[in-house]
């Protein structure tokens, strides 16, 4: 299959493809958080070299975040199409999850749990077996359940890694850098 397929919002994606691409963008999200930590640490120094490297790391992190978001929306869209649902259902996921994360920041685990439940549901829910309004079934190879489980668990571990890295590493470092800069 052509690699450009993974950047398209149509036609359809089976469970294994969704889990593979999902594990990829979850892993990219973890790398993006590490880059964000490096930017934060470099920005604490006021030297020209540190600021320039912060700028380069920020640009790399921005590019990675855009790539990750595009892959995520495209794979969610194709997966929903496989279940004969419009991609607009993504809004039904993003709006409540974003609302929970914005208004209930002390309940951050709720945001994580809700996102993981939806992602795992889409990994394991079978799609339409026949042609639907989003197209015919592409040549479906026999989905290998063990491989599906491996990629779903890998994506789950990367997602949990993002959550705990941001809570246990990134946020304390951001607080320390903020306090350090206040005293300069």
């Amino acid at each position: 299959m052509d690699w450009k397929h993974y950047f398209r919002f149509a036609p359809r994606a089976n469970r294994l493809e969704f889990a593979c691409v999902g594990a990829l963008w979850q892993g990219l999200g973890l790398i993006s958080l590490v880059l964000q930590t490096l930017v934060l640490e470099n920005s604490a120094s006021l030297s020209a070299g540190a600021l320039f490297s912060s700028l380069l790391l920020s640009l790399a992190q921005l590019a990675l975040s855009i790539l990750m978001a595009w892959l995520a929306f495209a794979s969610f869209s194709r997966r929903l199409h496989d279940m004969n649902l419009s991609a607009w259902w993504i809004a039904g996921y993003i709006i409540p999850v974003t609302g929970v994360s914005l208004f209930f920041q002390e309940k951050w685990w709720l945001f994580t749990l809700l996102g993981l439940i939806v992602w795992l549901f889409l990994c394991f829910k079978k799609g339409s077996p026949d042609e639907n309004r989003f197209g015919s079934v592409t040549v479906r190879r026999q989905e290998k359940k063990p491989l599906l489980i491996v990629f779903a668990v890998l994506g789950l571990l990367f997602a949990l890694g993002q959550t705990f890295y941001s809570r246990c590493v990134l946020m304390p470092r951001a607080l320390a850098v903020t306090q350090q800069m206040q005293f300069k």
Side-chain angles (χ1 to χ4, degrees), residues 33-170:
L33 286 174
V34 171
L35 285 175
Q36 193 173 359
T37 304
L38 293 173
V39 167
L40 184 67
E41 289 176 355
N42 280 347
S43 65
S45 171
L46 296 177
S47 71
L51 291 176
F52 182 71
S53 64
S54 280
L55 175 66
L56 290 178
L57 286 170
S58 292
L59 290 174
Q61 196 256 340
L62 176 65
L64 199 56
S65 295
I66 291 170
L67 174 67
M68 181 186 74
W70 191 279
L71 281 172
F73 281 119
S75 65
F76 265 93
S77 175
R78 287 193 318 278
R79 184 70 194 117
L80 289 168
H81 288 172
D82 192 49
M83 294 187 292
N84 202 21
L85 295 170
S86 167
W88 283 104
W89 279 96
I90 295 172
Y93 166 75
I94 290 175
I95 292 169
V97 168
T98 304
V100 167
S101 69
L102 289 177
F103 298 112
F104 301 104
Q105 291 180 359
E106 68 280 352
K107 304 234 188 244
W108 59 269
W109 55 270
L110 202 56
F111 167 73
T112 303
L113 183 64
L114 185 58
L116 292 177
I117 288 170
V118 170
W119 189 75
L120 287 173
F121 173 77
L122 291 174
C123 279
F124 291 106
K125 171 82 170 91
K126 287 188 177 184
S128 304
D130 303 318
E131 182 173 338
N132 65 25
R133 63 188 170 137
F134 298 103
S136 61
V137 177
T138 54
V139 178
R140 286 194 196 251
R141 297 180 192 103
Q142 185 64 27
E143 288 183 346
K144 296 173 177 65
K145 277 253 178 161
L147 200 54
L148 174 64
I149 291 169
V150 164
F151 281 110
V153 168
L154 189 61
L156 184 68
L157 290 174
F158 282 147
L160 289 172
Q162 285 181 51
T163 301
F164 290 108
Y165 185 87
S166 66
R167 287 282 163 186
C168 300
V169 176
L170 188 60

